Amino acid sequence: MSSYVITIATLIVIYAIVVLGLNVIVGFAGQISLGHAAFFGIGAYASAILTTKAGLSFWMALPFVILISGLIGLLLGLPSLRVRDDFLAITTIGINFIVEAVFLYIPFFGGALGIGGIPKIILFGVKLKGGAFFSLCLMFLGVVLLVCWWFTRSWGGLACFALRENEEAASSMGISPMRFKLLAFVLGTAMAGLGGALYAHYMRFISATDFSFPLSITFLGMIVLGGMGTLWGPVLGALLLGILPELFRPLVNYRILFYTVILLLMIRFQPSGLLGETSLARKVFSFRFLGART
Amino acid sequence: MQLFVEQLLNGIAMGSIYALITLGLALVYGVMRILHVAHAAVYTVGAYVGVLVFHLTGSLLPAFLGAMGFCALLGIVIERFIYFPLLKYPPYVPLIGSIAAMLAIEELCRLVAGPYILTFPAKLPFPAIHFGGVTISETLMAVYCITAGVLIFLWYITTRTELGLAMRAASQDISIADAMGINTQAIMGITFIIGSAIAAIAGILVGIYYNEIYPTMGAVPAYKTLALIVVGGMGSVPGAVIASLMLGVAETLLIGYANIPLPRDALAFIAMIAVLMWRSEGLMGSK
Amino acid sequence: MKHAVLETKGLSKHFGGLKAVDKVDLDIHPKEILGLLGPNGAGKTVCFNLISGVYRPTQGSIRFEGERIDTFAPYQVAAAGIGRTFQIVKPFADLTVFENVLVARGISCYRSFLKMWRSWKSKEEREEAMKTLERVGLLEFADRKASLLPLGNLRRLEIARALIIGTKLLLLDESFSGLRHEEITRLETLINSIRESGVSILLIEHNMRVAMGLCDRIVVLDHGRKIAEGNPRTIQENEKVIEAYLGKRGRAHAA
């Protein structure tokens, strides 16, 4: 397999991990998050700093990275999730901008130059690259999918679905809205952090602008396209939105135009996504094993 | 002292322009409860059409009128084609549509007019004023006067006309307004026309003020104005104006006068979060 | 003197200048069906919202089994054993009928961080949920999406969910509204059986025949105030009640 294909494939898998996290927040719990790229960045920077400045290995840093991403998600989620829908959307956009500004302006994070020289991941004494790294990412994707799958079968997950459907009714059944919104949010940000760590050790060099607001929109686009709230939808979405820009590369100048117009048409005519309830694809294929909604 | 006054004047001008852009956003949110991020693209198109007509006719008035007309049309197209059919879906659906539309329109501007910065060498027919060693340039005067004019016009329409009454009713509660016989579809259309036309004015003013027009000039205002309508109180037009003026002055003074190395664009969001913590419905919003 | 299951003293809720509920005293005894009646706008649903924690009282107290619950949030009221239905049904639209009921069954797990990771996909869970569905007559619709159900069935679904939550007290808000004749009879039987099993019930109902037939006692509200209390017979003959519903001319007419 050419290294170009592997590069794209690896990034797609990393994005899939990140958007599976976003799916927990938006698809499972029904909360809007337009700042998910910030947590992707927090994971990346956390891993980068722990491995370059603190000298930890990727594996030793990983639990801390996930913890930090989840914790910051908790801290930011507490004030944010208390506000109404539209406010929440804008607050999460704000979080994205502020986190990016923090990375850009505080010297500890490398400022405009970012952080470089991030070491490769070593597994059993081998520095992973290319196909081996891709396989590692696939493994993590499997783990994240497993967590999501378990979540949909757990009482906590059921509580989030109920919350999404009708918050008042869910409250009257003993479900504390704040607690479960936070639960979903923290799960989502932790997964994003994991993806960020993988990204950092893949690119070996990160800077603040890698995690800016447009990326949050891309993430949201991925789960909307693939089918929000489904198990495999986010993966499909990551695949599509990962491949599309590459497919359009020959169009060079018209690439972005095509890409945004397709996104526009998709959202206009198939808002529930390709694996969503009312989608054309579902009607044609009715893939039950691809994961029913709940 | 002189520097302070100069920066204050610049800040008010900056705030006025923010107000013009945010107005449209607040109006649309009030009536449709949609975050019309694509509004910033309408603003950009306004600047481009303005400079085009100016180059064709050599005069500013047709530039303004042409841009306003074209943007009003663009606004209606966006409303009918993207927002209206998506009203029944959760709010992030039209939001994504809006962002996709904004990016697509920006790209079209780039492809049609080129990625380089265009200039807008127009002279605004306003007098410059000098006092106490400080000069208010024609451009600043124009910004103040035109903004004031637009605000007075809006105030007149919303408080003294039947249309304004209908618009206010619709933004309070659209289903009740509908039940009372108000043609809410028409109101939505008119809201977009007014908001988009005002955005065109803002685009031209910015183009002349900075003498720069480029495809991504809407990117930063797009998200800043979102923070501004939150601070002002979602859907409150006076709130949006006040918030815009305050932000314009704060940004300019902090960076131009106090030289604080804060990221300028994050200031709006920091202010927003601060205001939300204090008063969760914004400055002039209602619970 | 039986100890009251639920007791409100001086319960009031003011919205600005409007006194939606004004110094209402209620008490509900074990195995009792108490009716809360009154013309539209009398404050009945506001009372429900006060008890179930949606609103906080402006004044007064609410005691449930001796414990004060006025400051409880809705999810805490549910955890205490009070279930409720809503005047405008609130199903979990995208979930199936079975899953709707399942949500209610999880109440003991939602407060514990460890328990919430347990899976609900077990035979016992399904059986228990199905039992409840059978009790309200929704067994055949178990795997149908809630959004596809007609109103009558949605009301039954609300009751099914509230049944599971309301281990000691059930608040039913106009649950008979929009039901056909056979459905009404079935529901009456169900409610009586719920009462027999030891659960007290507070009922808001506009259907007079049902209310008079089911309730042991009735409290009548008008403009937020309690204007009458007693057994159905007494209430029917109470002048103030007739006046409240029919107006002063109606009182002369009914006399």
Side-chain angles (χ1 to χ4, degrees):
Chain A
M1 257 198 175
S2 86
S3 76
Y4 168 71
V5 172
I6 295 206
T7 308
I8 303 296
T10 308
L11 278 173
I12 287 178
V13 172
I14 292 179
Y15 287 152
I17 292 175
V18 176
V19 297
L20 275 169
L22 185 61
N23 191 40
V24 173
I25 300 174
V26 184
F28 290 167
Q31 302 305 303
I32 302 181
S33 176
L34 289 172
H36 206 58
F39 298 98
F40 181 48
I42 288 174
Y45 269 90
S47 194
I49 290 177
L50 284 173
T51 52
T52 55
K53 297 198 181 168
L56 294 173
S57 75
F58 167 79
W59 298 101
M60 280 170 54
L62 193 59
F64 291 109
V65 169
I66 297 181
L67 202 71
I68 291 173
S69 309
L71 205 66
I72 298 185
L74 182 68
L75 289 172
L76 290 175
L78 270 167
S80 315
L81 294 169
R82 214 180 289 141
V83 295
R84 250 178 49 208
D85 269 356
D86 313 307
F87 285 96
L88 180 60
I90 300 180
T91 306
T92 51
I93 297 178
I95 290 177
N96 208 154
F97 274 91
I98 293 176
V99 167
E100 188 190 345
V102 164
F103 289 149
L104 205 53
Y105 286 91
I106 298 187
F108 178 68
F109 297 109
L113 294 172
I115 299 187
I118 304 173
K120 287 190 182 166
I121 301 180
I122 300 180
L123 188 59
F124 305 127
V126 178
K127 284 194 188 167
L128 297 180
K129 59 177 181 177
F133 190 89
F134 174 69
S135 309
L136 181 72
C137 292
L138 271 182
M139 183 208 82
F140 275 114
L141 180 63
V143 171
V144 171
L145 272 169
L146 199 68
V147 172
C148 289
W149 175 79
W150 185 259
F151 191 68
T152 61
R153 302 164 64 103
S154 71
W155 289 110
L158 188 63
C160 288
F161 295 141
L163 203 60
R164 172 193 73 204
E165 293 301 309
N166 196 307
E167 189 170 322
E168 228 188 316
S171 294
S172 75
M173 278 173 227
I175 296 172
S176 159
M178 200 56 198
R179 174 182 297 202
F180 286 95
K181 285 180 190 176
L182 273 174
L183 175 72
F185 201 73
V186 169
L187 255 180
T189 59
M191 290 179 190
L194 169 63
L198 288 171
Y199 180 82
H201 290 270
Y202 185 59
M203 305 300 282
R204 321 275 311 285
F205 168 77
I206 55 172
S207 78
T209 48
D210 292 344
F211 311 109
S212 56
F213 177 65
L215 187 58
S216 288
I217 297 304
T218 306
F219 287 155
L220 194 62
M222 285 177 184
I223 60 172
V224 172
L225 245 55
M228 198 165 323
T230 65
L231 189 60
W232 289 94
V235 179
L236 183 62
L239 188 66
L240 281 174
L241 283 188
I243 287 189
L244 269 173
E246 301 306 317
L247 282 180
F248 290 141
R249 217 173 255 284
L251 293 167
V252 186
N253 228 6
Y254 297 92
R255 204 179 108 204
I256 299 184
L257 184 64
F258 258 96
Y259 177 75
T260 52
V261 168
I262 292 215
L263 187 60
L264 185 59
L265 291 174
M266 260 304 297
I267 198 89
R268 165 71 175 81
F269 293 111
Q270 289 272 265
S272 48
L274 284 175
L275 290 182
E277 294 300 300
T278 56
S279 75
L280 212 59
R282 268 240 171 162
K283 290 187 185 134
V284 172
F285 293 107
S286 61
F287 276 140
R288 281 229 81 227
F289 70 86
L290 276 184
R293 183 73 123 96
T294 53
Chain B
M1 181 60 190
Q2 179 171 336
L3 180 64
F4 178 79
V5 175
E6 274 177 12
Q7 294 296 32
L8 183 66
L9 292 170
N10 282 335
I12 297 178
M14 198 70 242
S16 304
I17 292 181
Y18 284 152
L20 288 178
I21 308 177
T22 312
L23 265 174
L25 208 60
L27 284 170
V28 167
Y29 183 80
V31 173
M32 286 182 103
R33 296 285 185 270
I34 283 184
L35 295 171
H36 177 31
V37 175
H39 190 60
V42 174
Y43 149 87
T44 306
V45 167
Y48 273 107
V49 172
V51 79
L52 178 70
V53 175
F54 178 71
H55 278 304
L56 287 176
T57 63
S59 129
L60 268 181
L61 188 61
F64 271 102
L65 292 175
M68 285 166 71
F70 191 81
C71 288
L73 202 65
L74 181 61
I76 291 280
V77 165
I78 294 177
E79 189 246 335
R80 286 291 122 162
F81 180 69
I82 302 178
Y83 297 149
F84 198 68
L86 294 180
L87 274 178
K88 56 179 182 282
Y89 290 97
Y92 49 74
V93 173
L95 180 61
I96 294 182
S98 188
I99 296 177
M102 183 185 98
L103 294 172
I105 294 175
E106 269 184 2
E107 267 302 294
L108 274 172
C109 288
R110 187 184 70 90
L111 288 169
V112 166
Y116 5 82
I117 299 176
L118 298 178
T119 60
F120 206 149
K123 205 123 173 45
L124 287 154
F126 283 83
I129 297 185
H130 315 264
F131 70 90
V134 175
T135 305
I136 306 181
S137 68
E138 320 68 70
T139 324
L140 282 180
M141 279 305 295
V143 170
Y144 297 150
C145 297
I146 294 180
T147 306
V150 167
L151 289 176
I152 293 175
F153 170 74
L154 259 185
W155 170 81
Y156 183 79
I157 297 239
T158 48
T159 55
R160 291 268 186 278
T161 66
E162 280 214 20
L163 171 66
L165 194 61
M167 285 172 74
R168 280 186 292 150
S171 73
Q172 285 262 349
D173 190 323
I174 197 128
S175 35
I176 292 183
D178 212 32
M180 296 184 76
I182 296 178
N183 185 346
T184 48
Q185 270 208 35
I187 297 289
M188 287 183 195
I190 293 176
T191 307
F192 265 86
I193 289 178
I194 296 180
S196 306
I198 298 179
I201 297 176
I204 294 180
L205 284 175
V206 169
I208 298 179
Y209 188 74
Y210 289 108
N211 204 16
E212 282 185 353
I213 299 181
Y214 50 97
T216 52
M217 62 193 275
V220 166
Y223 309 114
K224 228 179 246 191
T225 51
L226 282 181
L228 283 171
I229 61 169
V230 172
V231 172
M234 307 293 270
S236 159
V237 171
V241 173
I242 295 176
S244 304
L245 286 169
M246 285 170 63
L247 183 71
V249 170
E251 271 184 1
T252 317
L253 282 181
L254 273 174
I255 281 84
Y257 180 71
N259 276 316
I260 297 183
L262 257 183
R264 188 179 153 151
D265 298 333
L267 187 63
F269 285 106
I270 295 175
M272 180 192 82
I273 292 186
V275 170
L276 275 183
M277 301 240 159
W278 163 56
R279 197 177 142 84
S280 70
E281 63 278 12
L283 286 178
M284 295 181 75
S286 44
K287 267 204 162 42
Chain C
M1 175 63 181
K2 287 189 202 158
H3 198 74
V5 169
L6 183 83
E7 194 183 13
T8 76
K9 276 206 168 66
L11 189 60
S12 303
K13 181 66 184 170
H14 301 165
F15 292 109
L18 175 68
K19 293 187 182 166
V21 171
D22 195 19
K23 301 200 194 65
V24 169
D25 294 338
L26 281 180
D27 56 320
I28 306 175
H29 303 123
K31 278 197 175 186
E32 178 179 44
I33 299 181
L34 180 69
L36 190 60
L37 305 187
N40 277 323
K44 310 183 298 287
T45 302
V46 178
C47 275
F48 265 31
N49 285 337
L50 283 165
I51 297 172
S52 68
V54 175
Y55 295 150
R56 200 169 267 211
T58 316
Q59 267 171 31
S61 70
I62 308 172
R63 277 198 167 76
F64 180 62
E65 301 213 310
E67 195 192 347
R68 277 190 74 151
I69 61 168
D70 357 317
T71 55
F72 276 21
Y75 74 92
Q76 291 167 311
V77 171
I82 301 179
R84 74 165 288 179
T85 64
F86 294 92
Q87 193 173 4
I88 302 176
V89 286
K90 296 179 194 291
F92 299 130
D94 220 45
L95 305 184
T96 64
V97 167
F98 161 68
E99 285 160 350
N100 265 268
V101 170
L102 197 64
V103 175
R105 282 205 53 82
I107 184 163
S108 58
C109 294
Y110 296 139
R111 297 194 97 172
S112 152
F113 187 73
L114 286 172
K115 281 193 193 164
M116 64 170 77
W117 288 102
R118 279 205 225 141
S119 169
W120 45 262
K121 281 216 164 147
S122 74
K123 236 193 181 146
E124 302 86 55
E125 277 308 328
R126 193 165 171 97
E127 272 169 18
E128 289 299 315
M130 289 308 188
K131 270 193 216 157
T132 310
L133 282 179
E134 196 177 9
R135 212 171 158 200
V136 299
L138 283 177
L139 193 58
E140 51 184 301
F141 302 108
D143 291 313
R144 192 171 301 185
K145 263 210 174 30
S147 55
L148 299 174
L149 255 51
L151 180 64
N153 288 344
L154 284 176
R155 289 221 181 272
R156 283 196 252 166
L157 183 57
E158 292 252 314
I159 292 178
R161 296 188 317 193
L163 249 184
I164 297 176
I165 306 285
T167 52
K168 298 172 194 135
L169 174 65
L170 214 53
L171 307 174
L172 298 180
D173 197 343
E174 303 220 24
S175 294
F176 286 88
S177 147
L179 295 187
R180 297 193 312 269
H181 188 72
E182 326 83 67
E183 294 174 318
I184 291 180
T185 325
R186 269 188 93 165
L187 193 49
E188 282 176 316
T189 319
L190 175 62
I191 290 181
N192 272 314
S193 83
I194 294 173
R195 179 251 295 267
E196 285 314 305
S197 70
V199 181
S200 305
I201 299 173
L202 179 62
L203 197 69
I204 293 179
E205 194 43 59
H206 270 295
N207 185 326
M208 280 302 140
R209 190 196 61 75
V210 163
M212 297 299 163
L214 264 183
C215 302
D216 301 317
R217 272 192 310 135
I218 292 179
V219 164
V220 183
L221 297 183
D222 189 27
H223 288 101
R225 288 221 179 96
K226 183 162 80 171
I227 60 172
E229 183 175 358
N231 63 47
R233 198 55 189 278
T234 331
I235 293 296
Q236 273 173 315
E237 292 166 356
N238 185 306
E239 285 184 350
K240 283 207 209 126
V241 172
I242 299 173
E243 187 177 326
Y245 272 100
L246 301 177
K248 282 205 164 66
R249 288 169 58 219
R251 178 159 77 99
H253 191 83

